[in-house]
Amino acid sequence: MELRHLRYFVAIGEEQHYGRAAKRLRVAQPALSRQIQGLEDELGFKLFDRLPRGVKISVAGKSFLEDARRLLQQVNEATMRARRVARGQSGTLRVGFTENASWHGVVPESFRKFRQEQPDAELQVNPLSSLEQFEAVCSGRLDAGFIFNMPKTDRELDQIPVASHKIALAAPKGHAPQKLMKLRLRDLGGAHFVWFPRRESPAFYDRLMHECFRGGLKSPRIVQEGVNEATMLSLVSHGVGVAFVNENARWRCPQGVVVLPVMDLNLRLPLALVWRKDNVSPLLAKFIADVKLLPEVEEFAKR
């Protein structure tokens, strides 16, 4: 038994006439009669009682008609669901991001566009550090991640650069650095610092220390570590010290904290969307394509 047999049977059962059913199905009437005869032989009972004019569905045929309609409806719905998945319009997409990139720019805009254009798809957003995202993408627990300081070469991964953020100084309002018109690294020699642990990002930690040394801040006085930027900003707001943070921190600063540019701190945080090359999810492909078309990403690509 094939699906076309069920479609033929349902059409005849609803029309109660071979000729009208054949016209509706756009098949020849003799061929339709043969198909129904074969279906009855396979089932072992009559679906229709033949009349001088037309046919009348049998008692067994009425019962079978209800089930046949339900089966065809389920097949149609399954086909539509699969088609939407194949087109990147449905399914589940798992994307990681760092919290300090989510307040403004590419990351929140990509999520907004995804929800607008794929309303039937499920978007799972996962706030994780760049290192945690990297491991999750590699293992397949994430489809993609917005990762800072991603290495340019990796055999299993692909990426597109989407932004580059400056490093700024978070300080309590009224703190001495705020009073300087042009703040430089050497002006921070006497400041107490809230810093991040080196294990969180060894390469960036070393680059930041090198930039500080180059600018005359040879030995920052670190009085407290914060495992992430939110913790560091909280500690700054309570007067524990100052901290180097992503410039995006100005979009979510606690009350009592200001974010100040440091004139000679030439250090940027490159942000990239990263995914596995062998991930063939149509939903992921659609997400990547949409990110590439974001105005901010297009402008960044021209630089």
Side-chain angles (χ1 to χ4, degrees), residues 7 19 34 41 52-53 96 117 158 160 175 180 200 210 250-251 254-255 265 269 291:
R7 294 192 181 98
R34 288 195 299 272
D41 291 343
R53 292 185 179 181
E117 298 191 4
D158 206 348
I160 50 172
H175 195 273
L180 297 173
E200 293 299 317
H210 175 77
R250 69 179 183 270
W251 298 102
Q255 194 171 17
L265 180 53
L269 283 170
V291 168

Side-chain angles (χ1 to χ4, degrees), residues 212-244:
C212 288
F213 186 88
R214 181 195 56 78
L217 180 60
K218 296 185 177 181
S219 183
R221 189 180 305 173
I222 300 172
V223 298
Q224 181 62 52
E225 287 189 340
V227 70
N228 54 42
E229 193 173 88
T231 302
M232 293 167 67
L233 287 170
S234 175
L235 292 170
V236 171
S237 72
H238 286 84
V240 175
V242 298
F244 288 118

Side-chain angles (χ1 to χ4, degrees), residues 14-291:
E14 292 176 347
E15 297 291 345
Q16 299 284 298
H17 193 278
Y18 272 90
R20 290 193 297 270
K23 186 176 181 180
R24 168 176 156 182
L25 295 166
R26 297 182 180 180
V27 298
Q29 183 174 335
L32 182 59
S33 298
R34 288 195 299 272
Q35 294 293 332
I36 294 302
Q37 181 65 54
L39 179 59
E40 288 177 327
D41 291 343
E42 182 178 349
L43 293 173
F45 58 83
K46 291 292 183 181
L47 295 169
F48 299 101
D49 297 322
R50 275 64 178 177
L51 304 175
R53 292 185 179 181
V55 293
K56 179 181 179 181
I57 193 166
S58 67
V59 174
K62 286 182 180 180
S63 175
F64 190 59
L65 180 61
E66 294 178 6
D67 290 332
R69 282 171 172 160
R70 186 174 64 255
L71 287 170
L72 290 175
Q73 178 65 23
Q74 290 174 345
V75 169
N76 288 338
E77 290 173 354
T79 301
M80 291 177 63
R81 285 194 298 270
R83 184 176 291 121
R84 292 186 66 80
V85 170
R87 291 175 178 174
Q89 297 172 323
S90 186
T92 300
L93 183 70
R94 305 159 299 170
V95 182
F97 64 97
T98 60
E99 185 186 6
N100 59 0
S102 67
W103 292 86
H104 181 75
V106 173
V107 175
E109 182 61 18
S110 70
F111 294 159
R112 183 201 65 78
K113 188 172 184 180
F114 180 90
R115 284 266 52 90
Q116 182 181 37
E117 298 191 4
Q118 280 77 236
D120 296 331
E122 179 185 4
L123 176 63
Q124 295 181 0
V125 293
N126 299 266
L128 299 167
S129 70
S130 290
L131 178 59
E132 290 171 328
Q133 287 184 71
F134 176 80
E135 293 172 347
V137 170
C138 287
S139 67
R141 291 181 286 113
L142 284 180
D143 294 302
F146 287 98
I147 297 177
F148 282 114
N149 293 311
M150 179 65 195
K152 292 185 178 180
T153 56
D154 191 293
R155 292 182 179 180
E156 296 183 345
L157 303 180
D158 206 348
Q159 62 177 293
I160 50 172
V162 297
S164 180
H165 297 173
K166 294 180 180 179
I167 299 300
L169 185 77
K173 286 183 179 178
H175 195 273
Q178 187 183 356
K179 301 174 184 178
L180 297 173
M181 293 297 293
K182 293 185 176 181
L183 178 63
R184 296 183 179 277
L185 287 166
R186 64 172 179 263
D187 300 322
L188 300 172
H192 290 179
F193 277 91
V194 177
W195 215 272
F196 60 93
R198 187 177 183 276
R199 65 178 179 275
E200 293 299 317
S201 182
F204 178 63
Y205 185 101
D206 294 342
R207 286 170 57 205
L208 180 55
M209 282 295 188
H210 175 77
E211 282 297 308
C212 288
F213 186 88
R214 181 195 56 78
L217 180 60
K218 296 185 177 181
S219 183
R221 189 180 305 173
I222 300 172
V223 298
Q224 181 62 52
E225 287 189 340
V227 70
N228 54 42
E229 193 173 88
T231 302
M232 293 167 67
L233 287 170
S234 175
L235 292 170
V236 171
S237 72
H238 286 84
V240 175
V242 298
F244 288 118
V245 296
N246 188 312
E247 63 177 346
N248 264 14
R250 69 179 183 270
W251 298 102
R252 54 110 174 225
C253 256
Q255 194 171 17
V257 174
V258 293
V259 176
L260 307 170
V262 182
M263 301 300 295
D264 57 344
L265 180 53
N266 301 316
L267 183 61
R268 301 187 71 94
L269 283 170
L271 180 66
L273 177 64
V274 180
W275 66 94
R276 284 185 63 95
K277 293 178 180 178
D278 60 0
N279 188 330
V280 296
S281 163
L283 202 57
L284 173 62
K286 185 68 168 58
F287 182 76
I288 294 168
D290 286 345
V291 168

